[in-house]
Amino acid sequence: MVKASPGQLSRRGLLAGAGALVLALSLKPKDVLAADPPKFGADGMPHGWRDDPTLFVAIAPDGTVTVTCTRSEMGQGVRTSVAFVVADELEADWAKVKVAQAHGDEERFGNQDTDGSRSLRHFFMPLRRAGAAARTMLIEAAAKQWGVPASEVNAENHALVHAKSGRRIGFGDVAQAAASVPVPDRASVKLKDPSAFRYIGKGRVGLIDNVGITTGKAQYGLDTRVEGMLYAVVARPPVFGGKVKSFDEAAAMKVPGVVKVVTIDPPAPPYEFMPTGGVAVIARNTWAAIKGREALKPTFDDGPNAAYDSDAYRATLEEAVRKPGKVVRREGDVDAAMKKAAKRLEAEYYIPHLVQAPMEPPAATVRIAKDGKIEAWGCVQSPQAARDRIAKRLSIDPKDVTVNVTLLGGGFGRKSKPDYFVEAALCSKAVDGAPVKMTWTREDDLHHGYYHTVSVERLEAGLDDKGMPIAWLHRSAAPTIGSTFVAGANEQIPIELGMGLVNVPFNIPNMRMENPPADAHVRIGWFRSVSNIPRAFAVQSFICELAQLAGRDPKDYLLDVIGPARIIDPVKIGDAWNYGEDPSRYPFDTGRLRNVIEAVAQGAGWGRKVEKGRGLGIAAHYSFVTYTAAVAEVEVSPKGEVSVQRVDIAIDSGQQVNPERVRSQLEGAVVMGMGLALTAQITFKNGRAVQDNYDTYELTRIDAAPKIINVHLVQGGSWDKPLGGVGEPGVPPVAPAIANAIFAATGRRIRQLPMRDKLSA
């Protein structure tokens, strides 16, 4: 069992098994605090971190430096950022640096999850130490060769230099000798002074994978080719929890190219990351497998979720938030303050299911050797999870499974769940270990996903005679991610409560947050920025509504509601999670939130006049221990057609290791945030996902993207201060900024996503 604490509870805490989740659901903060001393950050993650240079740095005789990257590259540029952190401390010439991708082996490499916006937040310092330790070993080797004190030798741009004698030697010439030098104790390793950084914080390094990606040579999961490979697709129950009743195996086998039909039995619920069952068709090519699947004409018992209907379930959630729920934060006396309020406002916000829908659907290839050892390839955010689940399902030792990570054509949280690897392994086993590539079509991905939860957020506020809130009530009803790991779980867990519900930083004397129960009828998973999406949309829209009620400018009103700059202990306001970080190192700093609001307002020219039919909207949010704010400028045509003309977005994530990648991730977050704000949703009828492909699950198209996206980087502190996350925090403020801009342009308040059809209706 994984023990949890306020700082330890993480997405990986869920992955570690039902035991951790049961603990998270049952323990109150007080109980947790009485347990073992908490671990935070990378220390609190399974298998923690490593900074051993012999694991991450290899130097060839020709001087080529190869940095091993343990994170998955899905477009965020992490392979580049990881490599240049090591290269900078090593004092390597970037032109002579390569990256090798680590296979899934957490015991060896430390934690390998690429999610939670943690890659550099957790591993910046271990990577620096690894590079610095390798530099120290090179210096020691050169000094020994020259017979001089190591203190007289420096590393300079891929060479060792002895200034007194003018001698100079390349990394490759001492690499072998350096390998025999003992790895220095980490406490003695001297890191560079930040003023000497060559790459870190400079934003001058292009993507190391760029040439391969732009020339089509880069290998993604779907590109995997293995000699003798077969291909498979699966006919899965269309309703979550359903089972196969019948299928026509003979008809499928008549399709040219079909090799075998295999039944995949589901485990007992909860399914966690295991396949939900179905019938696999294995063939000599993917097209034959798809045609064979069509020929199966399977029938299903739809099971307990056969009646799941999005419209009906929305009504269920609305009913839930209109009644008292479990109190998860209480300050002051909300009910008494509401009675004394000069004005009151209440509103409900609806956010539908979303699905990650990466451009590259899930894909995995598995081969089982004669000795039982398994090798797998695929696009995966958590190779160690794929390794463990394959081993569990096939009842073998995880050490006999090697998972190779390809590039990912997008992930957004979907590829942290390796059910498709297990399907591929079961198919390989069925054909005597021959390599089998499991392909999910776009339709498979949309119909059988781990969906972002549906949510109704109810907000009530009472204002004093100056228009400022004196009472705040927020009820959030949404099926929990916990249901994927514990059957019947219907209350949100700390990682969800800490995403903009209990940790709202407003300077309001009376506040109460409640969590009514909500049953899950589909697989619930994390989607880029997770529960921050509904919370930011609801809270930041509501603040704008209150500003309107008070007759105030939305930006000024938001700053006043946040109140003066102050440091808030997350634990004291009920946030038992705090993104897994030490609350003493990562308190909530409202001054930093205020700064990003001011920065984005200045950058966007807040208050400027815009053309008729246009409006500006502002929103801010705190997520993954990072502060963001956005201003959107939208245009609404007389027919209700919305176009986003410009978005300014500001971020304070502490010091930015790779500013160029921060900018690009924020630009991507704006485009993704636009999609969920305006067009994307997954609905269910008779338990089945209605949307099939990008024509009905519509993401932001290139012609709809804003012509202008300005990213404003707000520097937060020195390099000694902890880093915040970057990958996810850009998404949450986009939808409310657009909603508020639409209101400014039209006077119409849209309280549900997606918004586009609500204006044209």
Side-chain angles (χ1 to χ4, degrees):
M1 174 182 289
V2 173
K3 294 182 178 179
S5 72
Q8 283 179 285
L9 190 59
S10 67
R11 295 188 211 180
R12 277 298 301 279
L14 307 184
L15 317 191
L21 183 64
V22 170
L23 190 67
L25 289 170
S26 60
L27 290 188
K28 300 175 182 177
K30 182 178 178 181
D31 301 322
V32 176
L33 288 169
D36 293 341
K39 293 182 179 178
F40 299 105
D43 289 331
M45 297 296 290
H47 301 288
W49 49 270
R50 304 285 186 273
D51 60 1
D52 183 346
T54 64
L55 291 174
F56 301 114
V57 183
I59 303 176
D62 68 355
T64 301
V65 170
T66 301
V67 177
T68 297
C69 179
T70 62
R71 328 309 295 174
S72 297
E73 176 62 67
M74 47 191 157
Q76 79 279 42
V78 71
R79 281 162 50 93
T80 303
S81 299
V82 162
F84 81 52
V85 170
V86 175
D88 204 328
E89 283 289 354
L90 183 60
E91 193 56 27
D93 179 351
W94 182 248
K96 299 175 182 176
V97 175
K98 295 182 177 179
V99 174
Q101 187 67 44
H103 59 271
D105 188 348
E106 283 198 330
E107 293 87 348
R108 177 178 174 81
F109 296 114
N111 180 261
Q112 289 186 256
D113 267 327
T114 309
D115 63 11
S117 300
R118 285 186 292 243
S119 289
L120 288 181
R121 189 171 106 220
H122 282 185
F123 293 95
F124 178 58
M125 291 307 293
L127 290 168
R128 287 187 66 189
R129 286 196 297 268
R135 166 169 45 85
T136 302
M137 295 162 72
L138 288 167
I139 288 173
E140 292 278 356
K144 184 177 181 180
Q145 181 172 320
W146 291 331
V148 300
S151 59
E152 295 181 0
V153 178
N154 291 316
E156 295 179 6
N157 195 27
H158 229 83
L160 290 312
V161 178
H162 184 240
K164 285 186 177 179
S165 63
R167 281 177 289 190
R168 184 184 189 90
I169 191 170
F171 280 4
D173 295 322
V174 293
Q176 188 172 1
S180 63
V181 173
V183 175
D185 178 75
R186 66 173 58 99
S188 68
V189 171
K190 186 176 181 181
L191 301 176
K192 269 186 171 181
D193 186 287
S195 63
F197 285 159
R198 296 159 56 89
Y199 314 120
I200 296 170
K202 306 300 183 186
R204 299 171 186 161
V205 177
L207 277 180
I208 204 163
D209 297 301
N210 213 23
V211 173
I213 290 171
T214 54
T215 59
K217 294 180 179 177
Q219 180 174 317
Y220 294 83
L222 278 169
D223 295 327
T224 303
R225 296 285 186 276
V226 179
E227 185 176 356
M229 188 169 71
L230 299 172
Y231 303 79
V233 296
V234 176
R236 301 175 185 83
V239 179
F240 176 64
K243 295 181 179 178
V244 177
K245 286 174 63 177
S246 66
F247 58 92
D248 191 342
E249 179 177 352
M253 291 299 294
K254 290 179 182 176
V255 174
V258 171
V259 173
K260 194 164 187 175
V261 174
V262 179
T263 300
I264 296 178
D265 295 323
Y271 295 143
E272 198 243 20
F273 294 163
M274 290 300 188
T276 57
V279 183
V281 177
I282 305 171
R284 300 199 180 282
N285 58 70
T286 303
W287 180 247
I290 291 174
K291 301 305 289 184
R293 180 170 68 175
E294 293 174 1
L296 286 173
K297 298 188 183 305
T299 63
F300 301 93
D301 175 350
D302 288 341
N305 298 306
Y308 185 48
D309 178 280
S310 295
D311 291 338
Y313 193 67
R314 175 177 178 172
T316 299
L317 293 178
E318 289 172 343
E319 182 180 0
V321 298
R322 291 167 189 169
K323 298 183 292 189
K326 176 183 175 182
V327 176
V328 293
R329 177 183 172 187
R330 187 199 306 272
E331 291 182 18
D333 188 336
V334 169
D335 296 333
M338 287 285 189
K339 291 177 182 176
K340 293 188 293 186
K343 294 180 180 178
R344 293 182 59 173
L345 183 68
E346 58 187 44
E348 292 173 4
Y349 302 85
Y350 176 73
I351 298 88
H353 284 295
L354 301 166
V355 70
Q356 299 86 355
M359 186 64 74
E360 180 199 32
T365 301
V366 171
R367 176 178 62 196
I368 305 176
K370 296 297 183 184
D371 61 1
K373 295 187 184 300
I374 291 177
E375 187 160 20
W377 301 260
C379 45
V380 63
Q381 293 175 242
S382 52
Q384 74 293 334
R387 184 192 196 202
D388 293 344
R389 299 319 187 273
I390 289 172
K392 180 179 180 181
R393 184 62 186 259
L394 270 57
S395 300
I396 62 174
D397 190 330
K399 293 181 179 178
D400 289 334
V401 182
T402 299
V403 174
N404 303 291
V405 182
T406 66
L407 294 184
L408 286 67
F412 315 118
R414 171 61 183 94
K415 294 171 183 174
S416 290
K417 300 105 176 174
D419 50 337
Y420 49 104
F421 273 79
V422 179
E423 291 178 337
L426 292 170
C427 288
S428 178
K429 183 179 180 182
V431 289
D432 298 325
V436 175
K437 179 160 72 175
M438 175 60 57
T439 299
W440 282 48
T441 65
R442 180 82 56 221
E443 290 79 0
D444 292 337
D445 190 31
L446 267 60
H447 288 175
H448 306 283
Y450 287 84
Y451 301 99
H452 176 70
T453 193
V454 59
S455 167
V456 171
E457 310 285 324
R458 179 179 176 84
L459 285 143
E460 300 179 21
L463 308 185
D464 63 16
D465 56 5
K466 296 180 181 177
M468 295 306 297
I470 56 173
W472 177 276
L473 172 64
H474 185 169
R475 290 194 187 112
S476 172
T480 174
I481 287 170
S483 61
T484 297
F485 304 91
V486 177
N490 63 5
E491 293 180 340
Q492 296 180 54
I493 57 179
I495 68 170
E496 296 165 311
L497 300 175
M499 292 184 173
L501 181 64
V502 298
N503 57 349
V504 163
F506 297 156
N507 190 28
I508 301 174
N510 305 287
M511 304 183 76
R512 190 168 75 240
M513 286 72 165
E514 300 178 8
N515 173 215
D519 294 326
H521 299 282
V522 299
R523 292 197 294 188
I524 304 297
W526 35 89
F527 175 106
R528 186 181 185 183
S529 77
V530 202
S531 296
N532 291 292
I533 295 171
R535 304 286 166 54
F537 175 63
V539 170
Q540 294 295 308
S541 294
F542 193 60
I543 287 292
C544 189
E545 293 200 52
L546 293 179
Q548 170 70 14
L549 185 63
R552 298 279 309 279
D553 173 83
K555 187 264 288 186
D556 295 340
Y557 190 81
L558 173 59
L559 289 172
D560 285 349
V561 173
I562 293 170
R566 62 198 186 282
I567 302 297
I568 298 174
D569 182 342
V571 176
K572 290 185 177 178
I573 59 173
D575 183 2
W577 179 46
N578 197 39
Y579 294 93
E581 302 293 357
D582 185 345
S584 67
R585 297 188 76 226
Y586 286 91
F588 198 132
D589 185 343
T590 61
R592 295 175 69 180
L593 186 61
R594 293 178 61 89
N595 287 344
V596 293
I597 294 170
E598 295 282 15
V600 79
Q602 182 178 4
W606 181 260
R608 61 185 161 87
K609 289 186 177 180
V610 294
E611 300 172 21
K612 185 179 179 181
R614 291 193 178 191
L616 299 177
I618 192 168
H621 193 69
Y622 169 78
S623 64
F624 302 93
V625 289
T626 282
Y627 306 82
T628 53
V631 169
E633 179 178 349
V634 308
E635 180 174 300
V636 183
S637 75
K639 294 182 179 178
E641 299 162 335
V642 180
S643 60
V644 179
Q645 299 294 319
R646 167 177 169 172
V647 175
D648 287 72
I649 186 164
I651 181 170
D652 177 358
S653 58
Q655 286 287 347
Q656 281 116 17
V657 176
N658 191 343
E660 184 55 32
R661 301 318 303 166
V662 175
R663 289 190 186 91
S664 63
Q665 290 195 77
L666 268 290
E667 290 166 352
V670 167
V671 173
M672 191 171 196
M674 277 184 57
L676 64 91
L678 295 174
T679 57
Q681 67 173 329
I682 291 287
T683 58
F684 289 85
K685 290 289 184 185
N686 299 320
R688 292 159 167 79
V690 173
Q691 289 71 25
D692 288 314
N693 210 316
Y694 286 153
D695 59 333
T696 46
Y697 187 76
E698 189 177 341
L699 307 175
T700 302
R701 308 294 171 86
I702 193 168
D703 61 345
K707 299 295 187 294
I708 301 172
I709 300 176
N710 294 321
V711 178
H712 307 280
L713 305 182
V714 178
Q715 297 294 330
S718 68
W719 286 104
D720 296 329
K721 300 294 184 182
L723 303 182
V726 171
E728 299 173 84
V731 174
V734 176
I738 291 174
N740 294 338
I742 289 173
F743 177 79
T746 66
R748 294 184 61 180
R749 172 58 59 183
I750 308 298
R751 291 174 172 161
Q752 69 177 77
L753 302 182
M755 293 182 277
R756 183 181 63 182
D757 294 342
K758 305 307 168 191
L759 280 165
S760 57

